[in-house]
């Protein structure tokens, strides 16, 4: 997704029509999840510990490892 699409979703999230807003929020959630997964992968490849990744995300080490860890 490109930045223009993200801007559109953000705008639509505040729409008067609640169905339009909900669809936009769902789209934003999917995009945020995708971007977060990429950033976590990049951090781990760069040598960041699970603890440091968790701290950056504001969650526990166990939570981030469960969501993104392998094995």
């Amino acid at each position: 997704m490109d930045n223009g699409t993200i801007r559109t979703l953000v705008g639509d999230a505040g729409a008067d029509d609640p169905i339009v807003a909900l669809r936009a929020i769902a789209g934003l959630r999917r995009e945020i999840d995708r971007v977060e997964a990429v950033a976590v992968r990049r951090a781990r490849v760069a040598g960041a510990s699970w603890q440091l990744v968790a701290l950056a995300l504001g969650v526990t080490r166990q939570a981030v490892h469960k969501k993104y860890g392998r094995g």
Side-chain angles (χ1 to χ4, degrees):
M1 213 174 264
D2 61 40
N3 286 338
T5 303
I6 293 171
R7 283 189 198 99
T8 299
L9 288 170
V10 167
D12 288 350
D16 290 334
D17 182 331
I19 300 304
V20 170
L22 288 168
R23 285 184 180 138
I25 291 165
L28 284 167
R29 187 177 293 119
R30 286 188 298 273
E31 183 60 10
I32 289 169
D33 286 345
R34 185 192 69 76
V35 171
E36 181 180 281
V38 169
V40 168
R41 196 166 36 250
R42 289 180 59 214
R44 292 290 293 155
V45 166
S49 67
W50 286 117
Q51 183 62 43
L52 185 56
V53 171
L55 183 64
L57 291 174
V59 299
T60 66
R61 181 186 59 79
Q62 293 84 358
V64 77
H65 189 265
K66 181 179 180 181
K67 186 171 183 179
Y68 296 109
R70 293 192 190 354

